[in-house]
Amino acid sequence: MTRTSVSIAASLAATTCLLGASAAHAGTPLNWSTVVNNNTQFPGDTRNFNSYNQPSVNNAGLVVFRARTQGGSGSPASGILTRDMSSPGNPIVPIITRGSAVPQPNNTGAVFNEFPSIPRIDATSSMIATRGQSRPVLEYQNGVDPVTGEPVTTRGGTTGIYTNPGGTLITGAAGLGNVSSNPFASNPDLTYFAVPNTSPNTKFDQFPGAPSATGGDTLVFKGNWTDAEGGQTGVYFRDVLANGGTAPVQLIADSKTDIPGYAGTQFGSTAPPSAAGGRAVFLGVDNEAAPTKGGIYMAALDDAKAADTPSLLTTIASIGGAVVNQANAFFTQIGEALSFDGKHVAFWGAWGEKDQNGALVTATRSVTVSCGSIENAATSAFCLSQDDGLTSGSGVAGDGLYSFDVAVNQGFFITDVDTLETRLVAQTGDQFSDFVYWNFSGKVPGAEDEEDGELARWRSASFIASDGWNAAFKGSGLDTTGLYHLFGGELSTLAEYGMDGGALDPDAAGLAITSLGLERDSYRNGWLAINAGMSDGENNMAGVYAARAVPEPSTWAIMILGFAGVGAAIRRRRAVAAG
């Protein structure tokens, strides 16, 4: 993700508090292995990989990632692929690739043309979850010609969620829930894909964000749909194997669900969920742009399956709730991306303080992002076309600059969902200035590789992956951005921009790290997977990398005792690489 210019409108406050840990030092002794890089040939193609999104990993070290090649002759090859990193020499295995057939229902010969979100993987199995785009997959009857009596047909189904329980690719959710064999017997009955509790059966319009997989048989996802009242949204799950593969979508919460503790106030926004251990967590608030009610909620999927009714929602963290380790501090924002292992949930949050009148006041600073930082020409052009100088906040129409207010006080947290014990992982202050990153994403009119059906806009995101009380996250200091690792209460640096890429990939030795990424399912059972890019301005390398993020006990002890020396060595190394 491209870093953009930042102007400080308010002084940074608070002191870094990291579970009693000292400031981060580079050099966690992780032995990184290359999952895939630019020297790897795309399976079944003559071209090499060159672009990668954030990977996910399961408890056994199976990494799933989305990647593509350069164009070369014809369209780029792209797809969702896996590699088992538990032992050396295992091959890269394609799960879905551009141009491969969409699984049933498909009577039009439709093939995949894009995969709009990062893939995710079940912690305890090889079941993946990904979104896919295609041409319409199904032609079905929706009427009768009043003159000829011949069937009138239409086509539908350009987006869906796909998964592979037991190794076979199937359609887990699709925008075809309105298709029924009643009254037209020639149609398949696909009402098990319908939005729950709608009559007549209503189809999903889109599935924003990245779906989650759990238990080897269940998908958990966000869905958008439309009824007579307008656009609606919600969080849902579906057991894709039950009832011979025809079990219906079940509700977790939607726009018609009251926010717990606020009778009469429904969820105005829900975020893509995370699931593990028969449970799901999601962020739901009253107003996405300026939330005053809502928070993180948990649903018991197994109970809901058995009762065939939505699970009661358990509140894990709330807007307006007190912030651990902070005096007179209350959450004003909570991030959408939740890292969840069934027991612990990690999240980003920002907070304000109550003034003498009891009003919650949030200190902010201004962040300026630029359309010029967007590499895709069509997306950059659309970004410029939306810049009226007013809603963007820069005051100048067409300059491609957008300004946003970001909370000064922000950090990462982990909560035990059973006891509600919450620990602070990292916060802004002396060491970190920001955990929020900006990306212009969504649907660009005329483009087939739409992200989520919503028009492209600037969106912010934060990145953390947790494994119990341990966590890896992305953060920015005053002079660099990097990935950091909290292990056993001690904080260390995994990698930073400007460091020699050889620390991650022997093929990148001598190239400076220029980008780093991880996602919510990137850290599981001691396995950590990241993506990175390296360059010297002329030569480039990028890839996906995995490591066992559990240092050998003796090495870990030496590292703690020798933190000062290690930190100095890394600082010198980074200066050489940057220069």
Side-chain angles (χ1 to χ4, degrees):
M1 185 173 295
T2 304
R3 287 287 296 157
T4 51
S5 60
V6 176
S7 58
I8 304 299
S11 61
L12 296 178
T15 303
T16 304
C17 178
L18 300 160
L19 302 181
S22 58
H25 297 269
T28 303
L30 302 186
N31 182 21
W32 294 99
S33 297
T34 300
V35 179
V36 58
N37 69 9
N38 292 5
N39 290 333
T40 309
Q41 187 171 297
F42 195 102
D45 200 283
T46 59
R47 295 165 293 185
N48 286 359
F49 288 96
N50 82 315
S51 178
Y52 318 85
N53 291 92
Q54 297 97 319
S56 299
V57 64
N58 73 1
N59 290 347
L62 181 64
V63 177
V64 60
F65 59 95
R66 179 178 71 164
R68 62 186 295 169
T69 69
Q70 290 180 326
S73 177
S75 298
S78 68
I80 308 299
L81 309 101
T82 63
R83 188 173 185 185
D84 182 358
M85 299 303 292
S86 64
S87 58
N90 291 318
I92 293 174
V93 178
I95 304 299
I96 321 176
T97 57
R98 175 181 287 167
S100 61
V102 178
Q104 296 299 318
N106 179 1
N107 65 7
T108 66
V111 299
F112 288 107
N113 57 37
E114 190 52 75
F115 309 98
S117 66
I118 64 161
R120 301 174 70 178
I121 190 168
D122 178 17
T124 58
S125 77
S126 58
M127 178 185 180
I128 66 101
T130 186
R131 284 169 52 213
Q133 300 279 151
S134 67
R135 297 294 187 182
V137 299
L138 192 72
E139 183 173 359
Y140 60 95
Q141 184 175 356
N142 66 338
V144 177
D145 188 298
V147 176
T148 67
E150 293 295 315
V152 175
T153 64
T154 188
R155 290 188 170 197
T158 60
T159 184
I161 300 174
Y162 302 91
T163 185
N164 63 338
T168 301
L169 186 68
I170 62 173
T171 301
L176 294 168
N178 61 320
V179 179
S180 172
S181 56
N182 181 19
F184 306 113
S186 61
N187 289 341
D189 185 357
L190 301 179
T191 55
Y192 55 89
F193 288 139
V195 179
N197 304 327
T198 58
S199 181
N201 292 307
T202 302
K203 70 180 183 68
F204 285 102
D205 299 324
Q206 267 291 348
F207 304 100
S212 184
T214 184
D217 59 9
T218 300
L219 290 175
V220 187
F221 57 92
K222 175 179 177 177
N224 289 350
W225 48 284
T226 305
D227 64 7
E229 298 176 0
Q232 310 292 342
T233 188
V235 181
Y236 308 88
F237 74 97
R238 180 171 176 261
D239 185 326
V240 299
L241 297 182
N243 296 346
T246 63
V249 174
Q250 292 183 250
L251 173 68
I252 295 176
D254 65 12
S255 304
K256 302 179 187 298
T257 303
D258 283 355
I259 297 176
Y262 297 97
T265 301
Q266 289 78 41
F267 287 110
S269 172
T270 58
S274 294
R279 295 163 155 180
V281 291
F282 70 97
L283 176 73
V285 295
D286 56 342
N287 184 299
E288 180 180 12
T292 61
K293 302 177 181 68
I296 299 173
Y297 301 95
M298 182 175 70
L301 303 183
D302 291 342
D303 292 347
K305 284 183 187 180
D308 194 24
T309 186
S311 164
L312 293 177
L313 299 179
T314 300
T315 302
I316 305 302
S318 297
I319 299 295
V323 179
V324 67
N325 289 8
Q326 308 293 320
N328 189 35
F330 305 88
F331 283 116
T332 55
Q333 293 176 275
I334 296 175
E336 293 187 354
L338 309 179
S339 182
F340 185 51
D341 63 4
K343 171 70 172 174
H344 302 87
V345 58
F347 62 95
W348 172 91
W351 60 91
E353 298 180 351
K354 290 184 178 179
D355 63 18
Q356 59 185 3
N357 298 317
L360 193 56
V361 179
T362 304
T364 62
R365 59 191 181 92
S366 178
V367 174
T368 301
V369 293
S370 171
C371 297
S373 67
I374 302 169
E375 294 182 2
N376 183 281
T379 305
S380 180
F382 182 68
C383 176
L384 283 170
S385 73
Q386 302 302 296
D387 180 15
D388 58 10
L390 299 175
T391 56
S392 67
S394 70
V396 180
D399 66 356
L401 300 179
Y402 290 72
S403 297
F404 301 96
D405 290 333
V406 175
V408 169
N409 297 313
Q410 50 171 290
F412 289 116
F413 304 83
I414 299 176
T415 295
D416 182 318
V417 298
D418 293 318
T419 67
L420 298 186
E421 176 189 358
T422 298
R423 299 182 186 180
L424 179 65
V425 174
Q427 72 176 79
T428 50
D430 292 342
Q431 182 175 357
F432 296 108
S433 60
D434 206 353
F435 302 115
V436 178
Y437 302 90
W438 294 85
N439 180 41
F440 190 82
S441 62
K443 179 180 179 179
V444 174
E448 290 187 345
D449 57 345
E450 63 187 59
E451 289 291 321
D452 57 15
E454 300 173 354
L455 283 177
R457 58 183 173 86
W458 285 105
R459 306 165 195 251
S460 63
S462 298
F463 304 95
I464 184 169
S466 63
D467 186 14
W469 292 114
N470 300 319
F473 62 90
K474 188 172 185 177
S476 294
L478 297 178
D479 60 350
T480 191
T481 294
L483 297 181
Y484 303 90
H485 187 206
L486 183 75
F487 184 86
E490 296 289 340
L491 188 70
S492 59
T493 300
L494 292 171
E496 291 179 329
Y497 291 12
M499 284 177 56
D500 191 317
L504 299 176
D505 184 344
D507 292 347
L511 307 179
I513 295 174
T514 56
S515 65
L516 292 163
L518 85 166
E519 256 292 343
R520 67 198 86 176
D521 296 340
S522 292
Y523 193 4
R524 282 174 164 162
N525 194 35
W527 284 99
L528 181 62
I530 66 172
N531 64 310
M534 290 73 73
S535 178
D536 63 4
E538 294 183 4
N539 303 293
N540 302 289
M541 180 54 63
V544 174
Y545 307 96
R548 289 294 284 166
V550 182
E552 293 294 332
S554 58
T555 308
W556 182 250
I558 292 171
M559 186 193 74
I560 293 174
L561 293 174
F563 251 175
V566 173
I570 291 296
R571 283 193 293 273
R572 289 195 298 271
R573 182 179 183 183
R574 186 171 66 238
V576 171

